[in-house]
Amino acid sequence: MGMEKQPRTRSLPPVDRRAVLGAAIAGGAGVAAARLLGLRRTVEVDAPQLTAEAVAKRSGLDWVSPLGDEATRVTHLLRRTGFGYTPAELEIALADGYQRTVDRLIETPPAEPPDLAGAEDASQAKGLRVVDLQSWWMDWAIRTPTPFAEVMTLFWHGHFTSDFRKVGLQSPYVYWQARTWRRFFLRDLRSILYEVTLDPAMLRYLDLSQSTGANPNENYARELMELYTMGSGSFTEDDVRSASRALAGWREPRTRAMVDAQIADTIKRTGSAPPRPPVADTVKTGVFERGRAYGGPDLTFLGVRRKWDTNSVLDRILEQESVAPFITRKVLFHFVGPEIEEATVTRFAERFRKSRHDMRTLMHDVLTSPEFTSPGAYRALVRSPIDFMVATAKALENPQLAKTAPASGEAMGQVLFDPPSVGGWPSNASWISSSTMLARINFATAAVNQTRKVPSASDAHAQFLDSTLSPQTLAMLNAVNDDRKRWAVVLCCAEFQLK
Amino acid sequence: MADVGINRVSRRDFLRAGLVFGAGAAGLAAGYAAVPDVFTRAVYAAKKDGRSNDRVLVMVQLAGGNDGLQTVIPLRDGAYRDLRPRLSKAADAAMPIDQTFGLNKQLTGLKSLWDQGKVAIVQGVGYERPSGSHFDSIRVWETGDPARRQVEGWLGKTIAKNYDSAGHPLVGCACGATGVPGALRDLEATLTVINARQSFKFVGGDEMERAAGALYTSTPGIYGALFDTSVATARDTVAQLRTAASKYVPKATYTDNVRLPISSKNQLAAALQLAAELIVTGTGAKILHVTLGGFDTHYTQEARHDGLLGYLDSAVSAFYEDVSAYGMADRVMVATWSEFGRRPRENASAGTDHGTAAPLMLIGDPVKGGLYGEAPSLRDLDRAGNQKYTVDFRSVYQEILDSHLGVDPREVLDESFERLAFTRVPVSRNGSAMIAVAAG
């Protein structure tokens, strides 16, 4: 559908070029760029506030950071903690101001999504459809009153990965995991890790439920240390072998529906019910069976020789110096920017470790740090495809886009419940290629076309792009004169791909 | 074609913009290199032409760590049966390629090519002090550097040093992917990524395509150059594919998605069909990369691994047949790679954990078929119970670069390695039978 087919709406007022030019030659100290602090409607002139180091790294055309302004700090905060925002969410946050908004984001517990019909009863007899799971999450990501919880849920999904291909959809495991990961939100890492280890989808995804003390499977033990807590190079192959023995003994839980389907299947195949029918479990986590666990001599794990079990393995991992910097680094790259000094990592990691790995402490530190709102942090991150699609739906105030979003994510490189590997999704520059840019532009074009009644676009550049525009974006906005075309430019431009 | 003309104009405009901020481009590159997570392509690309012959390389990544012992199977090795009481059943069904080894029963198409002398199998391929981490080992293979000093991919570097990718964005292309694979990354190379052939067009039509081109010009910020090249490349590629569509119908049957093994996310057959289309329609495609995932077979391996090999076999066979039917098989070499093999001893879940050395395959008319290298002994494993490699993987890269692509391997690999002469007719490096990259 070409945009020219859309009916014309009223003409929009031009965006004032003098007011909004948001890019300047960063290297040219003293080169002033005018921009409009759009939300406040006041015009201010200032020079780019880049450090000498940042200038050296990026001499070229750079965004002029508007983060000196409280209102723009608020939009910056909402973009990074909420997959974009609706006009209503923006209004509340602007009224509250930066600090109160940070407190609210961190202190408000995650709102739970509604139940997905049929998900609890998924079994061999009736499996889930992955697109239903994906739309269920996308819908909640758009509509939730606690957007930060959705950002953290996706963060944990990309960190403690599982995928529907290996876990399968003939159980509620994937659905349970999505709900469990949301409840993690900003808890302490130790309690999170225990739930991750016993999570049924995880037990299957990384084969811990296949592992026995006598004949261990190394998959979970390795990734627990390499990808989830310590990072590569901070443990040995012997540690992997010891941990794989020490962690063995868990099996997957069986629901009533799974047991019933299994019995029905046996009757269908053999003509009679199994002599010892399986019993349904009451828990939604792994079930420990001592007979499958390790019963041999003491093992050496991370330098200590003793008897080990799941709890003591996790405790020992959290005693490692490498954990706090590893998690902190990931959080800083995810929420602050791609260029983080090691000294900065150390500073945050120190407090994170002292808080006994409390994510609330870490995240509060990050969101209130000078780094988070430094000029170098402005538009330093590329929105992930999920972020971009949810932000589009919120800007257009069209939650119906949750239905088409799952199919669109693939060409952009991100499909929920299907990370590319156990390492999760890549970030930033890895989101940008010929394929993904085409897919983003196509999604935005289609989203505008599919929205029956688009909101007025006359303030969209101020509300969603901080009135900080490249000359090309400014020119394109002024070259089109109806709401749909303006929206297409706003959603397709580089400014909206960034946060 | 008018479209191509328009694109070239905008490309020139774009390059001019690049020159205005030319000093920035190098700085930009340096800034990115400092952060491994972030890479970009510079606004200008290497312009060294020449060295262009008509050879094409298609790299097939078997992601997750392909089990070499279930791919090229020892037929009469007692140690194999001892280590793998369950999985070694595969030896009974294997198709012998000599006295000692047989191909997995799923590889019927490749066996037929083997019989025609068109498959080289290099055994025991690995590197010193192997990593058990997927990501670490993938990086070693992608950069061609076990010392882990390099950030650029070995294929990206090959493109940057030898081809004018800025003018011909399909020189390096990842088919069936959404991002640039690490092996193709290089700050100075322009790469194309085509996820799905059919949907690779602007849904907003010409108007939206032009708008996108206008929007993404001299984009500011640290990702600006990357945004601009990506959108420009997307436009160029859309135009190229439009032209190609009229010149290509597949001359082989590619298995469709129905047969896609559930454990893989990658539609290899569709990706290879796209690769064939790019090759036979003269888009200038030189180095193509496709991926088949799902090889991390820690549990109930047999059915999964067989499914993946069957899919690989039918996709590669169709690709060979297609390219042959277009009379271009003599140009194209297919090479498989995987980050590691698997542990010789099977685990309790009837699967295998991460291993080390494994065989890899080179397929096509430019290949001199046969077994190369030496299969590591199953009675002399390392401390972790893994095989000791006998061939450095860079020996394979070296032969591909030197004798197939006809470029200087030392520019890419820095060192020289033992020669593995699996190329039937090595191309001359000083350019005999030269054909412009963009011919056709």
Side-chain angles (χ1 to χ4, degrees):
Chain A
M1 290 273 292
M3 289 197 309
E4 67 280 1
K5 290 178 187 162
Q6 293 302 323
R8 276 193 157 212
T9 53
R10 70 200 158 74
S11 285
L12 295 170
V15 177
D16 181 357
R17 175 183 174 81
R18 257 183 331 161
V20 298
L21 204 60
I25 311 289
V31 175
R35 62 185 166 73
L36 173 71
L37 299 170
L39 301 162
R40 293 281 171 82
R41 301 270 171 202
T42 56
V43 177
E44 195 176 281
V45 175
D46 69 5
Q49 307 169 349
L50 283 168
T51 63
E53 188 182 21
V55 169
K57 276 187 177 173
R58 327 175 179 152
S59 52
L61 202 62
D62 206 347
W63 304 109
V64 177
S65 169
L67 293 176
D69 174 55
E70 164 88 0
T72 316
R73 280 199 298 276
V74 169
T75 60
H76 176 74
L77 174 68
L78 293 189
R79 274 190 293 272
R80 293 193 173 190
T81 56
F83 299 148
Y85 43 79
T86 62
E89 285 167 344
L90 176 60
E91 201 176 316
I92 292 168
L94 285 171
D96 283 351
Y98 189 87
Q99 194 54 52
R100 280 185 60 187
T101 304
V102 168
D103 293 343
R104 176 168 52 80
L105 289 170
I106 287 186
E107 298 307 329
T108 313
E112 296 263 350
D115 294 343
L116 174 62
E120 289 287 346
D121 295 329
S123 72
Q124 299 92 308
K126 194 172 188 319
L128 285 165
R129 294 196 319 159
V130 71
V131 65
D132 291 339
L133 274 168
Q134 291 160 338
S135 302
W136 166 76
W137 189 354
M138 289 298 288
D139 175 63
W140 191 242
I142 296 167
R143 294 195 299 114
T144 177
T146 53
F148 189 27
E150 301 307 306
V151 169
M152 286 310 299
T153 309
L154 186 62
F155 175 81
W156 292 127
H157 180 33
H159 185 74
F160 302 119
T161 45
S162 293
D163 75 43
F164 80 89
R165 294 174 190 279
K166 181 155 178 187
V167 177
L169 297 167
Q170 301 187 320
S171 72
Y173 296 169
V174 174
Y175 172 68
W176 285 351
Q177 187 183 78
R179 302 198 77 118
T180 306
W181 273 209
R182 180 173 289 97
R183 288 181 203 122
F184 292 165
F185 189 44
L186 300 177
R187 276 174 22 200
D188 71 287
L189 190 61
R190 175 65 175 79
S191 76
I192 289 174
L193 283 172
Y194 188 73
E195 287 200 39
V196 167
T197 305
L198 270 59
D199 177 75
M202 182 62 77
L203 286 176
R204 191 175 287 182
Y205 181 64
L206 290 181
D207 302 308
L208 185 54
S209 59
Q210 299 284 330
S211 191
T212 65
N215 210 337
N217 184 310
E218 295 175 2
N219 207 5
Y220 183 71
R222 179 188 304 281
E223 307 307 7
L224 170 64
M225 290 188 282
E226 180 185 332
L227 298 176
Y228 297 171
T229 57
M230 293 160 59
S232 66
S234 53
F235 57 91
T236 67
E237 291 295 309
D238 287 335
D239 292 323
V240 173
R241 275 186 287 279
S242 294
S244 68
R245 290 200 150 82
L247 292 167
W250 298 99
R251 72 157 169 82
E252 296 162 10
R254 294 178 285 254
T255 64
R256 183 78 257 160
M258 289 164 75
V259 166
D260 289 348
Q262 209 178 326
I263 293 171
D265 184 58
T266 309
I267 294 172
K268 201 171 143 200
R269 279 187 297 107
T270 66
S272 56
R276 272 177 301 160
V279 179
D281 295 298
T282 50
V283 294
K284 292 183 177 183
T285 64
V287 178
F288 192 73
E289 291 182 341
R290 187 149 301 282
R292 288 158 49 87
Y294 175 74
D298 289 359
L299 297 165
T300 302
F301 175 60
L302 296 172
V304 176
R305 189 170 180 82
R306 55 166 280 188
K307 286 204 191 313
W308 294 97
D309 61 11
T310 297
N311 273 308
S312 55
V313 164
L314 296 179
D315 287 337
R316 182 66 188 147
I317 286 174
L318 287 178
E319 284 165 17
Q320 305 303 303
E321 293 282 316
S322 52
V323 175
F326 181 77
I327 299 291
T328 301
R329 198 176 291 116
K330 186 146 188 175
V331 165
L332 292 173
F333 279 126
H334 200 89
F335 287 94
V336 180
E339 296 168 32
I340 306 288
E341 307 269 334
E342 255 330 272
T344 309
V345 174
T346 308
R347 196 180 89 227
F348 285 95
E350 202 54 36
R351 280 175 49 87
F352 180 47
R353 181 171 41 231
K354 282 187 184 141
S355 74
R356 299 180 66 87
H357 303 102
D358 177 30
M359 290 299 297
R360 185 178 314 252
T361 303
L362 177 58
M363 204 54 77
H364 186 272
D365 284 356
V366 167
L367 298 183
T368 55
S369 69
E371 285 85 355
F372 186 74
T373 48
S374 72
Y378 189 65
R379 290 186 182 157
L381 299 175
V382 179
R383 279 185 158 148
S384 76
I386 298 292
D387 188 341
F388 166 67
M389 290 190 287
V390 175
T392 297
K394 285 184 162 193
L396 291 174
E397 299 178 80
N398 180 4
Q400 294 300 316
L401 293 173
K403 292 197 178 70
T404 52
S408 303
E410 192 188 335
M412 298 182 212
Q414 192 172 37
V415 177
L416 291 174
F417 308 112
D418 199 14
S421 77
V422 61
W425 286 280
S427 59
N428 295 325
S430 301
W431 291 127
I432 309 170
S433 76
S434 51
S435 170
T436 59
M437 288 309 294
L438 179 63
R440 283 177 186 239
I441 289 164
N442 283 344
F443 176 80
T445 311
V448 172
N449 284 344
Q450 285 162 14
T451 301
R452 201 162 298 153
K453 189 174 176 304
V454 294
S456 166
S458 59
D459 272 346
H461 65 281
Q463 282 184 306
F464 298 103
L465 307 176
D466 300 337
S467 296
T468 302
L469 308 175
S470 75
Q472 293 74 26
T473 302
L474 175 64
M476 285 299 294
L477 284 170
N478 283 331
V480 296
N481 56 4
D482 68 56
D483 283 321
R484 287 182 186 275
K485 291 185 179 184
R486 273 253 176 115
W487 272 115
V489 173
V490 166
L491 300 172
C492 286
C493 69
E495 289 86 337
F496 196 75
Q497 314 307 312
L498 298 167
K499 62 177 179 179
Chain B
M1 303 297 309
D3 291 313
V4 175
I6 288 165
N7 284 336
R8 286 205 178 127
V9 171
S10 65
R11 164 87 55 193
R12 266 199 300 278
D13 289 346
F14 163 71
L15 285 174
R16 195 156 50 234
L19 289 174
V20 172
F21 307 108
L28 201 62
Y32 282 114
V35 186
D37 179 51
V38 178
F39 88 101
T40 186
R41 291 162 287 178
V43 286
Y44 55 85
K47 283 292 184 354
K48 221 198 269 183
D49 59 3
R51 293 214 190 121
S52 29
N53 51 55
D54 61 357
R55 296 295 180 93
V56 178
L57 173 68
V58 180
M59 292 299 294
V60 180
Q61 180 182 6
L62 309 179
N66 178 39
D67 192 340
L69 289 167
Q70 302 300 115
T71 307
V72 181
I73 302 168
L75 296 174
R76 299 173 233 294
D77 189 337
Y80 173 64
R81 291 179 191 262
D82 293 345
L83 289 161
R84 298 189 163 190
R86 284 168 287 188
L87 294 174
S88 62
K89 281 188 312 196
D92 304 330
M95 300 171 287
I97 52 172
D98 71 353
Q99 294 296 310
T100 321
F101 295 99
L103 291 182
N104 183 294
K105 66 174 192 291
Q106 297 291 332
L107 301 175
T108 51
L110 293 179
K111 172 63 166 50
S112 153
L113 290 172
W114 167 273
D115 292 339
Q116 298 166 52
K118 291 172 179 172
V119 177
I121 294 172
V122 187
Q123 296 188 288
V125 185
Y127 56 93
E128 200 65 50
R129 283 184 287 111
S131 170
S133 153
H134 292 292
F135 306 95
D136 196 28
S137 200
I138 284 172
R139 183 169 166 217
V140 167
W141 279 78
E142 286 178 340
T143 56
D145 179 24
R148 298 162 177 82
R149 285 182 303 253
Q150 301 292 326
V151 241
E152 257 104 31
W154 74 285
L155 297 172
K157 210 189 271 186
T158 303
I159 290 166
K161 290 193 186 302
N162 296 284
Y163 309 111
D164 173 17
S165 57
H168 308 98
L170 282 161
V171 164
C173 179
C175 302
T178 54
V180 178
L184 280 173
R185 283 181 198 180
D186 190 289
L187 289 169
E188 297 187 0
T190 301
L191 286 319
T192 302
V193 179
I194 305 174
N195 179 46
R197 171 71 176 87
Q198 295 315 319
S199 56
F200 208 87
K201 53 188 168 216
F202 286 87
V203 299
D206 291 348
E207 186 191 7
M208 202 58 223
E209 182 184 341
R210 278 194 303 276
L215 263 180
Y216 284 91
T217 307
S218 306
T219 300
I222 53 174
Y223 306 106
L226 182 55
F227 275 127
D228 292 350
T229 37
S230 297
V231 172
T233 306
R235 297 183 67 197
D236 284 352
T237 305
V238 166
Q240 292 262 21
L241 289 177
R242 204 179 293 141
T243 314
S246 61
K247 294 196 260 177
Y248 174 77
V249 279
K251 297 189 178 180
T253 310
Y254 290 88
T255 46
D256 57 18
N257 305 343
V258 177
R259 285 206 49 200
L260 179 69
I262 183 74
S263 52
S264 179
K265 308 166 204 305
N266 312 102
Q267 301 184 347
L268 184 71
L272 281 175
Q273 183 179 331
L274 172 60
E277 178 176 347
L278 297 180
I279 293 166
V280 304
T281 55
T283 56
K286 196 74 190 161
I287 295 177
L288 302 169
H289 192 280
V290 299
T291 301
L292 180 62
F295 284 89
D296 195 20
T297 48
H298 283 276
Y299 84 117
T300 53
Q301 171 173 325
E302 193 184 346
R304 281 157 204 280
H305 190 251
D306 279 1
L308 289 168
L309 288 189
Y311 184 60
L312 172 72
D313 186 77
S314 65
V316 171
S317 301
F319 172 79
Y320 178 81
E321 192 188 327
D322 197 6
V323 174
S324 296
Y326 275 94
M328 297 194 187
D330 57 338
R331 297 183 182 183
V332 185
M333 183 185 284
V334 175
T336 68
W337 73 278
S338 191
E339 66 263 38
F340 38 61
R342 307 202 71 85
R343 186 92 31 91
R345 184 180 293 285
E346 68 186 30
N347 64 26
S349 339
T352 49
D353 294 320
H354 300 180
T356 49
L360 55 75
M361 291 192 270
L362 302 121
I363 303 148
D365 287 5
V367 171
K368 189 165 72 189
L371 282 170
Y372 296 81
E374 190 191 335
S377 166
L378 287 171
R379 295 175 195 282
D380 177 29
L381 302 174
D382 68 15
R383 222 171 58 81
N386 282 319
Q387 291 174 288
K388 297 175 179 169
Y389 84 106
T390 56
V391 174
D392 191 301
F393 71 109
R394 291 167 294 178
S395 284
V396 180
Y397 290 1
Q398 176 179 272
E399 181 68 4
I400 290 171
L401 294 170
D402 196 9
S403 301
H404 181 62
L405 293 175
V407 303
D408 183 358
R410 287 186 60 95
E411 283 193 343
V412 175
L413 302 173
D414 292 337
E415 309 167 48
S416 293
F417 300 88
E418 198 185 332
R419 169 114 200 263
L420 284 170
F422 55 71
T423 310
R424 196 164 47 87
V425 185
V427 298
S428 155
R429 199 180 303 166
N430 56 21
S432 63
M434 289 269 252
I435 293 175
V437 171

